[in-house]
Amino acid sequence: MILFEEVEPDGGLQVEISKVFGPLKDHPVPSVPRAGGALHPGVIEIGQAPREGNIVEVDGREVTSWLPWHFDHCYNNELNLAGVLRCVTGVSEGGETGFADGIHLYKILSPELRRQIEDRNILYSLNLRFAEMRFGLADGFREIQPHVRLQATIDYGKNLPRAVHPAVWTRDTGEKVLHISPWMAEGIEGEETSEGDELLEMVCREMLAGITPYFHTWRATDMVIWDNLRMLHAVSGHDPDEPRTMHRTTIQGDYGLGYFEGNVQGDKILEMTV
């Protein structure tokens, strides 16, 4: 990941820096706010009014805008190359974005679990509901208020094909990457059994117990770009009474290893970026 400081507020620099790494990918849902307008296309706005979105309790704190560890587009057959996030309105406390290196995650996994998961593929579905996470959900998690606006998408996603991605993949430079998204994982392809579920849960638990992420505390002039094919990211959440606004661009690209279960056709909504 790369941190840019003192970024101009109009979004122009965000778009131009994003294009250095590849063409932009627009969000497929028209109702998602476009922050850049005609002047800076490709910029979407992520945010919500106080008490408007999901509210959960994690580690004894009541927070909103919390996101568990994941990589973008896990529920799609193609991944985006990178995400670019810029802070517009920060919060007084919390709201940090965490980043964890999949190469490091592979190295810290115990040799026994590494051997068992190395050649497995993981199934993912478009289920954004945290309370329905099957693997790696934080101890003490409690859902206080679901994100009502996302329920239609969640219901629609239950009828869509599941995506499949390798648990471990090897970069052109030879490094192995542990690339498992606990959020939206459904199980191990071909091993949706109690034994398979136990293995995936053990991997997620050990990965999350040993993770040593960088959590970025945002200022209103900060922008971050991260490698979605290598990194996991998460959001710590913040006081539900405070607004938080971020602008995001998404860079096209793929590692070519994902597919839909049964090699069926996907759906445009599966191109959503979370």
Side-chain angles (χ1 to χ4, degrees), residues 49-68:
R51 296 277 165 183
E52 179 187 61
N54 67 296
I55 301 176
V56 301
E57 183 179 296
V58 181
D59 297 329
R61 297 186 306 125
E62 187 177 304
V63 295
T64 190
S65 296
W66 177 82
L67 290 180

Side-chain angles (χ1 to χ4, degrees), residues 129 132 146-158:
R129 186 85 182 272
E132 297 178 5
H147 203 309
V148 177
R149 285 190 297 139
L150 288 179
Q151 190 58 50
T153 300
I154 293 169
D155 292 340
Y156 186 73
K158 292 177 180 178

Side-chain angles (χ1 to χ4, degrees), residues 181-242:
S181 172
W183 187 24
M184 292 179 273
E186 290 287 330
I188 298 175
E189 183 186 35
E191 298 180 59
E192 291 183 88
T193 62
S194 57
E195 294 80 8
D197 288 352
E198 182 181 1
L199 171 59
L200 184 53
E201 176 67 9
M202 288 172 60
V203 171
C204 288
R205 288 288 176 180
E206 185 168 304
M207 177 179 75
L208 297 177
I211 203 168
T212 53
Y214 165 72
F215 271 93
H216 184 67
T217 301
W218 291 97
R219 296 170 298 179
T221 56
D222 287 348
M223 184 175 74
V224 164
I225 180 171
W226 71 94
D227 182 347
N228 186 53
L229 307 182
R230 172 172 171 171
M231 311 288 287
L232 299 184
H233 62 285
V235 183
S236 67
H238 62 86
D239 187 333
D241 291 317
E242 286 193 75

Side-chain angles (χ1 to χ4, degrees), residues 42-225:
V43 183
I44 64 170
E45 184 167 292
I46 302 171
Q48 60 196 29
R51 296 277 165 183
E52 179 187 61
N54 67 296
I55 301 176
V56 301
E57 183 179 296
V58 181
D59 297 329
R61 297 186 306 125
E62 187 177 304
V63 295
T64 190
S65 296
W66 177 82
L67 290 180
W69 290 103
H70 68 286
F71 59 87
D72 287 333
H73 281 187
C74 62
Y75 45 78
N76 194 15
N77 63 330
E78 295 181 0
L79 303 184
N80 60 286
L81 175 64
V84 185
L85 202 59
R86 180 170 63 88
C87 179
V88 177
T89 304
V91 294
S92 59
E93 184 179 0
E96 297 98 347
T97 303
F99 301 93
D101 180 16
I103 295 176
H104 175 71
L105 293 176
Y106 177 81
K107 291 177 179 178
I108 65 169
L109 199 64
S110 65
E112 177 61 20
L113 283 182
R114 199 186 300 160
R115 180 187 64 79
Q116 293 183 71
I117 201 65
E118 185 126 15
D119 296 322
R120 273 21 184 235
N121 292 327
I122 310 300
L123 295 157
Y124 298 97
S125 68
L126 179 60
N127 188 347
L128 306 174
R129 186 85 182 272
F130 306 140
E132 297 178 5
M133 277 182 62
R134 302 195 62 228
F135 303 98
L137 188 60
D139 292 332
F141 171 91
R142 182 168 68 94
E143 183 179 70
I144 298 172
Q145 174 180 296
H147 203 309
V148 177
R149 285 190 297 139
L150 288 179
Q151 190 58 50
T153 300
I154 293 169
D155 292 340
Y156 186 73
K158 292 177 180 178
N159 299 313
L160 295 174
R162 298 186 295 183
V164 186
H165 292 281
V168 176
W169 71 282
T170 304
R171 289 159 51 91
D172 291 340
T173 46
E175 303 97 336
K176 291 191 174 184
V177 180
L178 181 63
H179 206 227
I180 295 176
S181 172
W183 187 24
M184 292 179 273
E186 290 287 330
I188 298 175
E189 183 186 35
E191 298 180 59
E192 291 183 88
T193 62
S194 57
E195 294 80 8
D197 288 352
E198 182 181 1
L199 171 59
L200 184 53
E201 176 67 9
M202 288 172 60
V203 171
C204 288
R205 288 288 176 180
E206 185 168 304
M207 177 179 75
L208 297 177
I211 203 168
T212 53
Y214 165 72
F215 271 93
H216 184 67
T217 301
W218 291 97
R219 296 170 298 179
T221 56
D222 287 348
M223 184 175 74
V224 164
I225 180 171

